Amino acid sequence: MNKRAPLIAAVAGVLLAVLVIFFLVMPKRAQVSEKQDELDQAEQQETSLQLTLAQLEAAREDAPVTNEKIRQIGTMIPPTEDQPGMILLLQSAADRAGVDPLSISTANPVAAEGAEYSTVIVTLDTSGTYFALEEFLYNLETLPRAAKVTSVSLTGGTTTAATTEETTTEETATDTTTATTAELTGQFTVEFFTTDISAGPNSVPGPSEDAAAEPATEGGA
């Protein structure tokens, strides 16, 4: 009986150790593993937040440049057709080139298929020298508002002559110089653009119908 006592005590100690490991150590180990996962997730989230913060700070620093680009794009492709402003730009381009008064014909805006803009086709008829019409074409391509010249047609027109007389008193002689200038007739087809996809016959200038309906719904509420 006394010889078995140490064996029983040893077995009981082993069982007690197993029970301690099972009920105390293993749960703690699981908790430590769970906390480690939470720590890893928190570190990943912190890294993501730091990246987002850096992006926001960079966006804040670039805000003036971005706003200027948005303003330029809004000028180049306005939110409405703005036909009066468009005609003023064309007339100014003609005046700077020194061509004869323009004849301007505008078509109804057409919404581009699958795109968020409308196209306005304008036909221009004018006359002037070759170099004046060339400068006018350059002015069209460099307007503040985006414009695309799709066709140019030049035909022969009238010819004007300018005479200059130089008189020498002592010899009583007169020199006459005649300069001839050829006038050409030019026809240009130009496309302008607007982000208003509801532009055209029977449409209200401004945002599209869906966008325009939202404020009215909110106001009614």
Side-chain angles (χ1 to χ4, degrees):
M1 184 68 179
N2 294 332
K3 294 180 180 180
R4 294 181 180 179
L7 179 61
I8 294 173
V11 172
V14 171
L15 291 175
L16 179 61
V18 170
L19 291 175
V20 169
I21 292 174
F22 185 79
F23 287 104
L24 296 179
V25 176
M26 293 300 291
K28 292 296 183 182
R29 189 174 182 179
Q31 291 177 3
V32 170
S33 178
E34 181 180 354
K35 294 300 181 182
Q36 184 62 45
D37 292 340
E38 293 178 357
L39 177 61
D40 293 340
Q41 292 178 0
E43 290 177 348
Q44 293 177 358
Q45 185 177 12
E46 181 183 6
T47 302
S48 176
L49 290 174
Q50 289 177 347
L51 178 60
T52 302
L53 177 61
Q55 293 174 344
L56 291 175
E57 289 177 346
R60 182 179 60 183
E61 294 178 358
D62 296 339
V65 177
T66 302
N67 291 335
E68 178 61 20
K69 289 182 179 179
I70 294 174
R71 187 195 66 78
Q72 291 176 356
I73 293 174
T75 300
M76 295 178 67
I77 306 178
T80 60
E81 180 186 359
D82 187 20
Q83 190 177 98
M86 183 170 56
I87 293 175
L88 287 175
L89 285 176
L90 293 172
Q91 190 60 60
S92 175
D95 294 340
R96 285 184 283 114
V99 298
D100 288 344
L102 284 174
S103 172
I104 303 174
S105 176
T106 61
N108 290 321
V110 177
E113 183 177 356
E116 296 298 321
Y117 67 92
S118 297
T119 302
V120 184
I121 298 178
V122 181
T123 303
L124 310 172
D125 291 290
T126 186
S127 61
T129 65
Y130 172 82
F131 294 105
L133 293 175
E134 183 182 35
E135 182 178 353
F136 178 56
L137 178 60
Y138 172 78
N139 292 342
L140 291 178
E141 294 177 339
T142 55
L143 289 174
R145 180 170 175 174
K148 179 181 178 182
V149 180
T150 56
S151 69
V152 177
S153 176
L154 300 179
T155 56
T158 59
T159 301
T160 60
T163 303
T164 304
E165 295 184 355
E166 296 182 0
T167 303
T168 304
T169 307
E170 295 179 356
E171 300 179 357
T172 318
T174 302
D175 294 332
T176 303
T177 304
T178 302
T180 324
T181 304
E183 293 282 336
L184 300 176
T185 300
Q187 185 176 73
F188 304 83
T189 303
V190 187
E191 291 183 356
F192 288 89
F193 309 95
T194 172
T195 54
D196 181 10
I197 59 174
S198 70
N202 302 320
S203 68
V204 178
S208 61
E209 293 180 359
D210 293 339
E214 293 179 1
T217 302
E218 295 176 357

